[in-house]
Amino acid sequence: MDRRRNVKIHDIWNAVAAGRWALTQHARKRAGQRCIGDEALMRVLANGEILEDYPEDPRGPSFLVLGYAGDGRPIHAVCAFDPGGTLLVITVYEPVPPKWINERTRGPRKEVQ
């Protein structure tokens, strides 16, 4: 898979279905802090949608997935594919104000003085 191209949701679904996904240490810590278990995260990835794509991120191409846990709460997962095609979950969180108006809409950004 060419990591520079825009990722399609089917790439994510296929990776999850094949068991080719993993959490970074940071994502594992954040998931634990936010009570987002592996089952909920798998559901988010397997049924989610790409909300934002960051092909030019200086750390490497990545994207934001929006999905819903079994209890209905919205979850965001920032992900990337490694060179071997494994889906890496970089971080996970619930989109909440003030950064998010709702799960699809970012809140106003503060101006840097």
Side-chain angles (χ1 to χ4, degrees):
M1 172 182 305
D2 181 356
R3 294 178 55 212
R4 291 168 298 182
R5 73 174 174 83
N6 290 351
V7 172
K8 305 292 185 231
I9 195 64
H10 289 98
D11 298 329
I12 297 167
W13 295 343
N14 290 337
V16 172
R20 288 184 295 105
W21 68 284
L23 277 75
T24 63
Q25 185 175 359
H26 174 80
R28 174 71 59 202
K29 179 179 178 181
R30 293 294 185 236
Q33 291 170 334
R34 295 163 175 152
C35 299
I36 302 170
D38 286 356
E39 187 175 314
L41 185 53
M42 244 179 96
R43 181 184 178 102
V44 165
L45 296 172
N47 299 298
E49 63 183 278
I50 297 173
L51 197 59
E52 297 177 356
D53 193 11
Y54 317 120
E56 302 301 323
D57 188 314
R59 296 164 293 189
S62 58
F63 44 91
L64 176 65
V65 175
L66 164 64
Y68 297 87
D71 59 7
R73 64 187 167 137
I75 304 290
H76 282 177
V78 177
C79 305
F81 279 97
D82 75 6
T86 298
L87 176 69
L88 297 176
V89 180
I90 299 165
T91 195
V92 298
Y93 59 90
E94 290 183 58
V96 295
K99 286 190 172 191
W100 292 89
I101 294 170
N102 59 45
E103 64 263 32
R104 296 179 182 280
T105 309
R106 285 189 182 271
R109 296 186 187 251
K110 292 182 180 181
E111 291 187 30
V112 178
Q113 303 267 336

